[in-house]
Amino acid sequence: MIQRLELPAPAKVNLGLEILRRRDDGFHDLNTVFATLDFGDTIALSSRSDHAITCQVVGADLPADDANLAVRAAKRLRELVGESAGLGMTIEKRIPMGAGLGGGSSDAAAVLMGASRIWGVEPPLPLVEQLALELGSDVPFFLRGGVARAGGRGEQLESLALRLPWTVLLINPGIHIATPAAFAAVGRQGERPASDLATALAAGIEDPSILRGSLVNDFEAAVFERHPELEALKRDLYEAGAIFALMSGSGATIFGLFEAHEAAERARARFAGHWSVVTRFRAYSSASIDSIIERSE
Ligand code: C5P
């Protein structure tokens, strides 16, 4: 049995995010492309001889109780598989919270994947995916990582075999945005048509002007109205040489794509005073769901 396991919990950005309609259940149907980054949290899991599920968070003021999605993920998975064993978790937090980078969701997905191995259980993949969606709309994506087009709440996923060549500069001015409030501010009435984001992204790899013409984030107008400094950051990213810039998720992180790593590093120097990271897209999550698929077949 595995005693200790360390997993990456990568951050994501949304390369286009369209809010198609408000549903009767209060959620919204989305059309988006998620892409994991080579930057994120690290989760260490260890077996315990008692029945306790414990969580230690390093690097952020994040609760270690049920308010932490990773703790809820471990407890729900334990119920699902009928385990009674304990689990020790240490989360090294690097992804800012309430930032549109999926940090909490990624941590939860990493726990779902890793805890199964610690406990030596093989839950069927559809049940793990269902549990992931119950934990949050973005969690199912993080079970696979890479680049994926998503519909529904975010759980109807289609992986895209695209190698995204750009360097990514993330800028976060420390504004926390609550997702439900952002949806309310958008106030989607009726229905909006869905674009073919996968085709636009593939074409944008050859010609970045296609990205600028095709990928939007429907949260931007409402969020920028309340936080004009975010719109200014987006403009600054273009001025600093980004070939494309967009807000991620419901904000407040703005990211810029650069063709050269040095250009992104140079641009980063202009945003001193803000939290920033230069990174790349991560082709796949190293804690990929493939191993769970293998075990469930
Ligand atoms: O699923 P998650 O917990 O991330 O969602 C937080 C809130 O964001 C939901 O309660 C809902 O108000 C809103 N949401 C939505 N449509 C989605 C995802 C989230 O309306 N597709």
Side-chain angles (χ1 to χ4, degrees):
M1 203 161 92
I2 304 171
Q3 296 293 318
R4 191 173 185 283
L5 196 60
E6 212 173 85
L7 303 102
K12 60 86 178 160
V13 291
N14 298 83
L15 293 160
L17 199 175
E18 300 176 348
I19 304 171
L20 301 182
R21 66 187 79 81
R22 188 174 188 279
R23 313 186 334 184
D24 291 339
D25 63 5
F27 285 95
H28 293 76
D29 281 327
L30 306 178
N31 176 38
T32 188
V33 169
F34 291 116
T36 41
L37 301 174
D38 199 14
F39 160 78
D41 299 339
T42 307
I43 314 269
L45 302 177
S46 56
S47 59
R48 288 181 64 98
S49 50
D50 61 13
H51 301 293
I53 289 182
T54 64
C55 182
Q56 200 188 350
V57 183
V58 181
D61 191 14
L62 183 67
D65 58 16
D66 281 19
N68 183 328
L69 202 58
V71 175
R72 288 215 295 283
K75 289 188 176 171
R76 295 292 308 278
L77 182 72
R78 188 163 74 167
E79 279 164 28
L80 178 76
V81 299
E83 258 303 308
S84 62
L87 183 73
M89 285 179 271
T90 303
I91 303 179
E92 219 171 292
K93 201 77 201 144
R94 298 185 198 89
I95 307 172
M97 291 178 288
L101 297 174
S105 303
S106 187
D107 293 351
V111 168
L112 291 182
M113 291 184 283
S116 304
R117 296 188 199 175
I118 294 282
W119 291 329
V121 293
E122 300 181 6
L125 175 61
L127 291 184
V128 178
E129 286 177 330
Q130 190 190 323
L131 174 51
L133 181 62
E134 284 165 23
L135 290 162
S137 303
D138 292 353
V139 183
F141 163 69
F142 285 107
L143 292 175
R144 62 172 80 198
V147 188
R149 216 281 304 174
R153 280 171 57 194
E155 82 286 12
Q156 292 166 17
L157 293 158
E158 175 203 348
S159 286
L160 303 177
L162 293 177
R163 201 190 70 79
L164 305 179
W166 308 291
T167 298
V168 187
L169 172 58
L170 304 174
I171 309 285
N172 184 284
I175 298 169
H176 294 265
I177 293 180
T179 302
F183 275 108
V186 171
R188 169 67 68 235
Q189 305 282 332
E191 191 153 338
R192 167 215 207 287
S195 314
D196 184 350
L197 298 178
T199 300
L201 191 55
I205 292 174
E206 303 301 323
D207 176 2
S209 72
I210 295 172
L211 302 177
R212 298 191 289 273
S214 322
L215 305 187
V216 298
N217 180 339
D218 284 348
F219 283 110
E220 277 188 351
V223 172
F224 287 176
E225 197 178 322
R226 281 165 179 74
H227 303 285
E229 62 272 41
L230 296 179
E231 189 167 21
L233 278 181
K234 183 175 167 179
R235 215 171 29 238
D236 292 346
L237 274 167
Y238 276 120
E239 270 172 26
I243 53 148
F244 180 67
L246 199 70
M247 188 171 81
S248 187
S250 56
T253 302
I254 312 280
F255 66 93
L257 304 183
F258 291 81
E259 272 167 344
H261 183 86
E262 306 75 54
E265 287 290 0
R266 269 197 308 278
R268 183 186 185 191
R270 295 167 59 138
F271 298 95
H274 291 311
W275 179 93
S276 65
V277 159
V278 171
T279 184
R280 311 243 338 146
F281 288 102
R282 185 183 190 114
Y284 53 86
S285 158
S286 71
S288 139
I289 199 163
D290 295 350
S291 56
I292 295 184
I293 293 172
E294 271 168 31
R295 286 181 290 131
S296 64
E297 280 169 354

